[in-house]
Amino acid sequence: MKVILQQDVKGQGKKGQMVEVSDGYGRNFLLPRKLAVEATAENVNTMKMQDKAKQARLAEEKAQAQAAAEQLKGCQVKIRARAGQGGKLFGSITSKEISDELKAQYGLDVNKSKIVLTDPIKSFGSFEVKCKLGSEVSGVINVLVIEDK
């Protein structure tokens, strides 16, 4: 019996796949629990349309991520911070602060979870911070930490 999975099923496949299962397993387990639907011509057509829409959405998201990466290339985010003796900052610069300043200075909305800080920024100077914008697209944010008087 051929079925189209509606959810991930361990040992069978992922959501949206068409798989061959035994008649009893399909009728008694997958279909009553709504884990799968029978692979009729209508359901196969629906699956193909959903797959096509998903591919189009992924392509659009990737294009938007690449456009955002291009915008980030020319940006240098200036962050003012207070420091104690020896130029060591009180606390550190977080990804939330970088995100907020990027929005305030350039109008670019980058989620703080997409900004990757390998080490916390705890001193003045210029830093390059990676930013994962989407599917296989990453950008670099130039961060300049200056002293706040």
Side-chain angles (χ1 to χ4, degrees), residues 7-18:
Q7 295 178 13
D8 293 353
V9 178
K10 190 174 182 179
Q12 295 300 321
K14 301 272 185 194
K15 179 180 178 179
Q17 280 185 320
M18 188 181 336

Side-chain angles (χ1 to χ4, degrees), residues 18-146:
M18 188 181 336
V19 293
E20 180 77 34
V21 295
S22 67
D23 290 346
Y25 183 62
R27 271 196 313 273
N28 298 324
F29 184 78
L30 295 175
L31 297 177
R33 288 184 170 83
K34 307 242 188 283
L35 296 174
V37 292
E38 203 168 338
T40 61
E42 183 181 337
N43 289 339
V44 170
N45 244 359
T46 304
M47 179 187 76
K48 287 180 181 175
M49 294 297 282
Q50 286 174 346
D51 193 39
K52 192 181 274 188
K54 182 179 177 183
Q55 294 299 327
R57 189 177 68 247
L58 289 175
E60 183 180 327
E61 287 175 1
K62 189 171 183 175
Q64 287 176 348
Q66 287 174 337
E70 287 297 317
Q71 288 179 324
L72 286 176
K73 278 186 181 176
C75 299
Q76 184 173 29
V77 180
K78 294 179 184 171
I79 298 178
R80 296 185 178 277
R82 297 191 55 188
Q85 293 177 341
K88 191 172 181 185
L89 298 181
F90 293 132
S92 64
I93 305 297
T94 63
S95 59
K96 180 171 178 15
E97 289 177 287
I98 294 171
S99 176
D100 292 343
E101 288 297 321
L102 193 61
K103 188 168 190 171
Q105 292 175 19
Y106 296 100
L108 297 174
D109 192 16
V110 176
N111 194 341
K112 68 176 184 168
S113 62
K114 294 182 178 183
I115 298 173
V116 179
L117 285 172
T118 53
D119 296 321
I121 299 174
K122 293 189 174 196
S123 61
F124 295 120
S126 181
F127 302 92
E128 285 190 353
V129 178
K130 286 196 176 197
C131 182
K132 292 186 178 178
L133 297 169
S135 58
E136 304 159 4
V137 178
S138 63
V140 176
I141 303 172
N142 293 316
V143 178
L144 180 64
V145 181
I146 54 178

